[in-house]
Amino acid sequence: MALSAQQIPRWFNSVKLSSFITATQLQKHFLRPGKTLLHGFSAQPQMSSDNYFLQWGFKTYRTSCLWNSSQSTNSSRQEVGSAQGTLLPSMNEQTQKTEKIPSFDSELSLEALDDLPPVSPLQPVSEEEAVQIIADPALPPDTYTLRDYVDHSETLQKLVLLGVDLSKIEKHPDAANLLLRLDFEKDIKQILMFLKDLGIEDNQLGTYLTKNYAIFSEDLENLKTRVAYLQSKNFSKAHIAQMVRNAPFLLSFSVERLDNRLGFFQKELELSVKKTRDLVVRLPRLLTGSLEPVKENVKVYRLELGFKRNEIQHMITKVPKMLTANKRKLTETFDYVHNVMNIPHHLIVRFPQV
């Protein structure tokens, strides 16, 4: 609704008063003397608040008049159009001076920077900015080598520095998938510290982990329990470290399996506890390998080659590898030494290395 001639001065006074109060509040809250919001933009007003808000009142009044004049006759439109053409240039020039908005590309102060909204990841990017974006090459979904993932995996990088041979591990798909899922700090570091406390040297970690990468899938408490079991069987710390180095999969066996293996050798070979312990310390692979070759060789020594039980015990405690030797090679060697060279059994027992 258009204002009458009597209402215009009263309306200007109310607008001027409310606008002055609002401007004073904003100036006290944001624009401090001697402070700048943006680089090169002064907080001091370029013109008085009275003139500024008076011009704002003219603009509002002109907009209201234009809206009402659209419903009048064609002659009144022309008059309003001519008056608008007369007022528009000066009003636009002053408005551009007073309503100058600072650029956000300028350097912001710390106080103003806290008030800025976060940048949205969905913010559109111009073509010039898009061309400058350099994206890393995508990782292949399927590959036959871990080389493609080393540059993108901190875990693989640190394992390489430890001396782990990834070319041997990548032959096992389950191993590659396991290592790529592990976090070095959370999953691997604690296992490395455990092995070092056990007695594995730094220069031995690479070889050990190349053979037994599956130790990273073991629970640390289970590993400590297996070590505690060996200690309960009077294996010294040095012996345990030696056994773990020579038989990397030893710690992957549960306590029940380790106990069954020790009981088998003590019962099958009729050895004492001390001799059984010395046997597995010298050849710890007896605890992790298959028991079938051991059973077969014991029968061969006794039935085919004619050795007595006590002679077999003496030979295997001196040369534990005789328990895992190839059966065909073992019989061929004995045939040549005993039948061709005519060396009797008692001399072979004294020198079982032959």
Side-chain angles (χ1 to χ4, degrees), residues 289-312:
S290 175
L291 296 179
E292 294 303 322
V294 176
K295 297 177 181 179
E296 187 69 21
N297 285 348
V298 171
K299 292 180 180 180
V300 170
Y301 289 131
R302 184 185 306 169
L303 301 178
E304 297 185 17
L305 305 184
F307 289 99
K308 299 178 182 179
R309 181 174 294 275
N310 61 338
E311 292 177 336
I312 297 174

Side-chain angles (χ1 to χ4, degrees), residues 113-172:
L113 190 61
D114 295 337
D115 298 332
L116 290 178
V119 180
S120 173
L122 301 179
Q123 183 176 359
V125 181
S126 63
E127 295 184 1
E128 296 179 355
E129 295 175 344
V131 173
Q132 298 176 358
I133 297 177
I134 301 177
D136 295 332
L139 293 177
D142 297 318
T143 182
Y144 294 97
T145 176
L146 288 172
R147 181 178 55 188
D148 299 331
Y149 296 92
V150 172
D151 293 337
H152 305 274
S153 173
E154 179 186 3
T155 298
L156 295 182
Q157 293 174 8
K158 292 187 176 181
L159 289 178
V160 171
L161 293 178
L162 288 173
V164 178
D165 191 350
L166 297 181
S167 63
K168 295 182 179 179
I169 294 181
E170 66 188 13
K171 297 178 181 179
H172 308 278

Side-chain angles (χ1 to χ4, degrees), residues 300 304-305 326-336:
V300 170
E304 297 185 17
L305 305 184
N326 181 269
K327 177 182 176 181
R328 182 181 60 82
K329 183 178 180 180
L330 186 64
T331 54
E332 290 178 353
T333 302
F334 175 81
D335 181 69
Y336 181 81

Side-chain angles (χ1 to χ4, degrees), residues 129-325:
E129 295 175 344
V131 173
Q132 298 176 358
I133 297 177
I134 301 177
D136 295 332
L139 293 177
D142 297 318
T143 182
Y144 294 97
T145 176
L146 288 172
R147 181 178 55 188
D148 299 331
Y149 296 92
V150 172
D151 293 337
H152 305 274
S153 173
E154 179 186 3
T155 298
L156 295 182
Q157 293 174 8
K158 292 187 176 181
L159 289 178
V160 171
L161 293 178
L162 288 173
V164 178
D165 191 350
L166 297 181
S167 63
K168 295 182 179 179
I169 294 181
E170 66 188 13
K171 297 178 181 179
H172 308 278
D174 56 334
N177 295 331
L178 172 65
L179 295 181
L180 290 175
R181 290 195 305 265
L182 295 179
D183 181 82
F184 187 86
E185 294 294 331
K186 297 180 180 179
D187 306 318
I188 294 182
K189 188 175 182 179
Q190 57 182 356
I191 300 296
L192 296 179
M193 298 302 297
F194 167 76
L195 294 175
K196 286 179 62 66
D197 294 339
L198 196 61
I200 307 299
E201 301 295 335
D202 292 343
N203 57 355
Q204 298 171 341
L205 286 174
T207 303
Y208 177 85
L209 296 176
T210 301
K211 295 180 179 179
N212 187 19
Y213 55 84
I215 194 172
F216 294 129
S217 62
E218 296 285 349
D219 184 74
L220 183 60
E221 295 301 322
N222 291 337
L223 297 177
K224 294 180 179 179
T225 301
R226 294 159 192 172
V227 173
Y229 167 78
L230 294 176
Q231 292 174 343
S232 68
K233 297 299 181 179
N234 295 327
F235 288 94
S236 65
K237 185 177 180 180
H239 286 162
I240 295 175
Q242 177 182 344
M243 294 167 63
V244 171
R245 284 194 299 267
N246 296 332
F249 296 99
L250 178 64
L251 294 179
S252 297
F253 279 69
S254 63
V255 172
E256 291 76 11
R257 294 187 66 180
L258 293 175
D259 188 69
N260 291 335
R261 291 298 180 95
L262 289 174
F264 167 80
F265 288 107
Q266 183 177 358
K267 181 179 179 181
E268 183 73 15
L269 302 177
E270 298 181 0
L271 298 175
S272 64
V273 175
K274 183 179 181 304
K275 287 186 176 182
T276 303
R277 184 167 53 248
D278 294 340
L279 177 68
V280 297
V281 167
R282 296 183 62 185
L283 190 64
R285 290 188 290 106
L286 292 174
L287 297 177
T288 60
S290 175
L291 296 179
E292 294 303 322
V294 176
K295 297 177 181 179
E296 187 69 21
N297 285 348
V298 171
K299 292 180 180 180
V300 170
Y301 289 131
R302 184 185 306 169
L303 301 178
E304 297 185 17
L305 305 184
F307 289 99
K308 299 178 182 179
R309 181 174 294 275
N310 61 338
E311 292 177 336
I312 297 174
Q313 293 174 347
H314 179 77
M315 289 189 297
I316 62 175
T317 52
K318 280 193 172 184
V319 186
K321 289 184 179 181
M322 292 181 63
L323 289 173
T324 58

